[in-house]
Amino acid sequence: MKQIGYELTGPIGSAATLGLVVLQADETLEQDFRQIFPDRDIAIYTSRIPSGDALNAETIAAMEAELTRGAQLLPRAARFDAVGYGCTSGTTLIGAEAVAQMLRQGVDTPVVTDPLTAALAALRALGARRLGLVTPYIDSIAGPVRDAFGAAGIDVCQTLSFGEEVEARVARISPQSIIEAARAAALGAEAVFLSCTNLRTLGCITALEAELGLPVLSSNQVLAWHMMQTTAITPRKDAPGRLFQSASLAG
């Protein structure tokens, strides 16, 4: 066999390289990212961690032990501009600082973020301090998420939850149900947050903002936005939400 010479190129993500650590049960996050990020010179690599079929305090605690391993499974040759952990409730119960520490043990990156940290940054950027919260979670998960916003100085005016524990059902909650919950949560609020990376919220945002006259944020939307803040990436022109219309706001 004759060997021949070859040339090497730069990385696939010449504009940016991003990593995601996603729950095994999540069916939504990657689909949303494809709709938000432009189709040009951006590499997005995903690793998954075991998450269980039910979302409760026990399954989230089990996830914690897998975070470093999940980050280690991202491509070692890639130089990551930012890495995101794709779980709002997991971040809340584990703690954002602990999540960041465990991810950094598995991957070298200057920026680690998560949906809770990103949501707080987005609310600051938009100047919103009164929040309507919609979650799919059972009370033992929804309560800590609400309290995490309160601890950060955000007044949660309304909290509505679907009370769902089965992850497969979360990804199938209808857009109309989400829209109706957001309407109720908006009472007295300056912004609405649709929590959970597995909840199919992205297609609801534009219509809700037009109806409510308020910014409407979702876990996947804010996570993408916050990762963009650390790079030169701009969103697709049709990326939904006031947040992306103000994409240059500092996070």
Side-chain angles (χ1 to χ4, degrees):
M1 181 180 295
K2 181 180 178 180
Q3 291 188 354
I4 60 174
Y6 61 89
E7 296 179 351
L8 296 175
T9 70
I12 294 173
S14 58
T17 299
L18 307 177
L20 290 170
V21 177
V22 181
L23 307 193
Q24 180 181 2
D26 195 304
E27 301 177 55
T28 307
L29 177 56
E30 291 151 308
Q31 318 309 323
D32 284 358
F33 265 49
R34 291 188 184 102
Q35 295 183 59
I36 292 170
F37 283 91
D39 298 325
R40 60 167 184 81
D41 302 327
I42 298 167
I44 302 178
Y45 297 105
T46 302
S47 177
R48 288 186 177 261
I49 59 174
S51 58
D53 296 328
L55 183 63
N56 53 49
E58 290 73 25
T59 57
I60 289 174
M63 265 191 268
E64 182 175 0
E66 301 289 341
L67 282 171
T68 297
R69 176 62 175 161
Q72 288 173 337
L73 292 174
L74 290 166
R76 291 185 178 275
R79 295 184 178 181
F80 288 95
D81 297 289
V83 172
Y85 169 51
C87 187
T88 318
S89 56
T91 301
T92 302
L93 295 188
I94 297 168
E97 290 185 7
V99 166
Q101 181 180 14
M102 284 180 280
L103 291 181
R104 290 184 188 280
Q105 290 173 3
V107 62
D108 183 17
T109 179
V111 175
V112 173
T113 188
D114 59 78
L116 178 61
T117 299
L120 292 170
L123 290 169
R124 287 193 298 269
L126 292 166
R129 301 190 63 84
R130 296 196 308 275
L131 184 67
L133 177 64
V134 175
T135 91
Y137 316 123
I138 58 176
D139 289 348
S140 60
I141 306 296
V145 173
R146 176 200 61 215
D147 295 344
F149 282 103
I154 302 297
D155 178 17
V156 181
C157 308
Q158 307 283 341
T159 302
L160 284 83
S161 186
F162 297 119
E164 183 55 66
E165 187 174 14
V166 180
E167 278 280 13
R169 292 174 62 87
V170 169
R172 286 156 181 76
I173 293 173
S174 74
Q176 187 59 38
S177 296
I178 296 168
I179 288 169
E180 291 173 2
R183 287 171 179 154
L187 183 63
E190 296 175 336
V192 174
F193 181 59
L194 309 173
S195 183
C196 186
T197 61
N198 206 16
L199 200 62
R200 290 159 63 181
T201 59
L202 202 64
C204 304
I205 290 173
T206 300
L208 276 171
E209 287 190 334
E211 176 184 340
L212 301 175
L214 302 173
V216 177
L217 309 175
S218 76
S219 290
N220 295 343
Q221 177 210 41
V222 297
L223 183 62
W225 172 81
H226 204 216
M227 294 175 81
M228 287 180 183
Q229 299 302 297
T230 67
T231 67
I233 304 172
T234 56
R236 294 169 64 110
K237 291 182 179 179
D238 57 351
R242 295 186 187 184
L243 184 64
F244 287 121
Q245 295 166 14
S246 304
S248 61
L249 288 171

